[in-house]
Amino acid sequence: MKKDNYHVLDSTFAQSLTNIIAAELNQNIIICDHHGIIIAAFDRKRISQVHEGAANMLYSGNIREFSISPADEKRLKNVRRGYDVPIVVEGRCIGVIGVTGEPEEVAPYARLAARFVQATLESNSRQQKLVQALKEKEELQSILLYKIIDVQEEERKKISRELHDEISQSLTSIIVGLRVLSEQVCGSKEQKFVLEMRDVVSKTLDNAHRLAVELRPALLDDLGLVAAAQRYIENYSRQYGITTDINFSGLSRERFRPEIEITLYRILQETLTNIAKHAQAANVKVSLKKTRREIHFSITDDGIGFTPKSLRTACENSSLGIYGMRERVALLAGKFTIQSSEGAGTTVTVVIPLQDTRDNTISSNQ
């Protein structure tokens, strides 16, 4: 059947039905389309001929069963003695099926064949409608997920700027004020207290800076993925004492589409965080390469790795981070894979096409 019309007979499909029915009933079968043209027949020579009996019935608008008598066989073109039954699907006549023979004898066979064709077409129609509905649901989910991620990123950017511009400035002013106050107090006890408070505020300022960078680093928007990733990896190495090897293949000034950059940056954050928490790794390699058509991004550690079972469990059930990474990459029509074995480390690989191949529906709803 044609993809966009559930109620149009396809000739190849009709011929397969004809072969099945003819073999089951041991009768000569023809199927005509909604114009009365024979599109399938046990005798292939009849294909493409206009069955005048079927055509007359269809064009009259009086949809009914009819027989072909010996007189009709002589009077009408391309007909043979037998019995013909309209094929009606969901209230619409989409063709005619005919069985050759004595009309009284073959009428039950013709009706049985018509019911078989109708049931098959209705089943296919329901299946195709279900597939189409599922596809539309998946497209809608993709649009919704893309919108959610976009809103999240905008909110992260807003909070990051507030932390950097407003809260950091306020905390810096407090630190300066406490330093001045420590020089003005008289007692050593009071001075020590003020200096301790200054240290607390200073640590809070450092945490605010770190949180602002984790939420949305200004480097990512200003200079791009490579610069932001390098800064994040350097800070990560200092914080956790993990040796890092960065290979960005001469991409220091390369910029990609914003959705690609933020996706790869979030995957970098999530993966490195998981390594620090769970992998017990000493070394991490981060690689970013660009081909003519794709971006290849990988993160490899020398940690304890996963067993195949625990990896499947992490991917399918317990790890929202892995699920989130996979969904982000899928929105960009990319591939996300994890390779790991117990005691041999883990590699996370992402491949994203440079050309925007996402569904037009997503693009048009941004």
Side-chain angles (χ1 to χ4, degrees):
M1 296 177 69
K2 292 183 179 180
K3 183 177 179 181
D4 297 326
N5 193 331
Y6 306 125
H7 299 144
V8 176
L9 277 168
D10 175 78
S11 59
T12 302
F13 175 73
Q15 186 62 54
S16 66
L17 288 177
T18 299
N19 295 339
I20 293 171
I21 297 169
E24 289 293 326
L25 300 181
N26 195 26
Q27 300 287 340
N28 288 332
I29 303 290
I30 64 160
I31 293 181
C32 301
D33 67 8
H34 58 294
H35 296 298
I37 298 173
I38 299 173
I39 60 172
F42 190 73
D43 179 3
R44 300 295 182 91
K45 295 179 180 179
R46 302 185 66 190
I47 293 175
S48 298
Q49 297 177 356
V50 176
H51 188 287
E52 196 167 353
N56 291 342
M57 183 273 290
L58 290 166
Y59 284 117
S60 73
N62 182 18
I63 305 304
R64 57 184 174 77
E65 299 178 4
F66 61 96
S67 61
I68 300 294
S69 66
D72 294 329
E73 194 172 9
K74 294 178 181 180
R75 180 174 58 87
L76 301 173
K77 294 180 180 179
N78 304 317
V79 302
R80 291 180 183 176
R81 183 173 49 182
Y83 200 81
D84 295 75
V85 177
I87 302 170
V88 179
V89 178
E90 297 181 3
R92 177 182 174 185
C93 181
I94 63 169
V96 175
I97 189 164
V99 178
T100 302
E102 292 296 332
E104 296 80 6
E105 295 178 3
V106 299
Y109 295 107
R111 295 187 184 104
L112 180 62
R115 285 198 295 270
F116 176 79
V117 174
Q118 288 167 186
T120 302
L121 292 174
E122 289 171 353
S123 176
N124 288 353
S125 174
R126 287 192 296 269
Q127 184 177 7
Q128 290 191 21
K129 288 178 180 178
L130 181 61
V131 169
Q132 181 64 27
L134 182 60
K135 181 180 178 182
E136 291 174 357
K137 178 182 177 182
E138 290 174 349
E139 290 174 353
L140 185 60
Q141 287 177 331
S142 295
I143 294 170
L144 180 59
L145 180 58
Y146 191 87
K147 286 291 186 183
I148 290 173
I149 291 174
D150 190 48
V151 170
Q152 286 177 338
E153 290 299 334
E154 285 300 317
E155 192 65 23
R156 284 170 177 260
K157 186 188 296 187
K158 179 181 176 182
I159 296 172
S160 177
R161 287 176 178 172
E162 289 178 353
L163 283 171
H164 185 270
D165 297 338
E166 298 181 16
I167 296 179
S168 294
Q169 290 179 9
S170 299
L171 291 174
T172 301
S173 299
I174 294 173
I175 290 172
V176 173
L178 289 172
R179 183 181 302 159
V180 173
L181 180 61
S182 68
E183 295 172 355
Q184 295 178 353
V185 294
C186 299
S188 59
K189 184 177 180 180
E190 288 80 2
Q191 186 179 44
K192 181 181 178 182
F193 177 77
V194 172
L195 290 175
E196 288 175 351
M197 291 299 298
R198 187 194 66 180
D199 291 342
V200 170
V201 177
S202 181
K203 290 180 180 179
T204 303
L205 178 61
D206 291 339
N207 289 333
H209 281 153
R210 178 181 55 79
L211 184 57
V213 170
E214 290 181 355
L215 283 170
R216 181 79 175 214
L219 274 177
L220 185 62
D221 297 310
D222 297 338
L223 299 180
L225 171 66
V226 173
Q230 286 176 329
R231 177 70 62 82
Y232 184 84
I233 293 169
E234 290 168 1
N235 292 337
Y236 173 87
S237 183
R238 284 195 299 269
Q239 181 179 356
Y240 294 104
I242 297 176
T243 302
T244 56
D245 179 13
I246 305 174
N247 179 12
F248 285 173
S249 299
L251 298 176
S252 58
R253 297 184 179 181
E254 191 77 26
R255 294 301 302 264
F256 306 104
R257 299 199 315 270
E259 59 268 28
I260 291 179
E261 293 196 333
I262 191 60
T263 294
L264 294 181
Y265 187 81
R266 294 302 178 207
I267 289 173
L268 176 70
Q269 282 184 306
E270 182 68 29
T271 303
L272 291 184
T273 300
N274 289 340
I275 291 172
K277 288 181 178 180
H278 309 296
Q280 301 176 29
N283 300 280
V284 173
K285 294 181 180 180
V286 182
S287 173
L288 179 66
K289 298 179 181 179
K290 175 187 173 185
T291 66
R292 191 163 60 91
R293 296 182 178 181
E294 297 173 328
I295 298 172
H296 295 255
F297 183 62
S298 66
I299 304 170
T300 302
D301 69 69
D302 62 354
I304 58 176
F306 296 91
T307 62
K309 182 178 179 180
S310 61
L311 178 58
R312 283 195 300 271
T313 301
C315 291
E316 296 173 3
N317 300 320
S318 63
S319 179
L320 181 60
I322 292 175
Y323 175 80
M325 289 189 285
R326 194 184 301 279
E327 288 295 304
R328 279 178 175 264
V329 173
L331 284 175
L332 299 175
K335 298 177 182 178
F336 176 89
T337 58
I338 299 178
Q339 294 179 319
S340 185
S341 58
E342 193 170 11
T346 302
T347 297
V348 172
T349 303
V350 178
V351 179
I352 297 177
L354 286 171
Q355 184 179 0
D356 192 349
T357 57
R358 293 170 298 160
D359 191 276
N360 291 333
T361 309
I362 297 178
S363 300
S364 64
N365 282 272
Q366 291 179 12

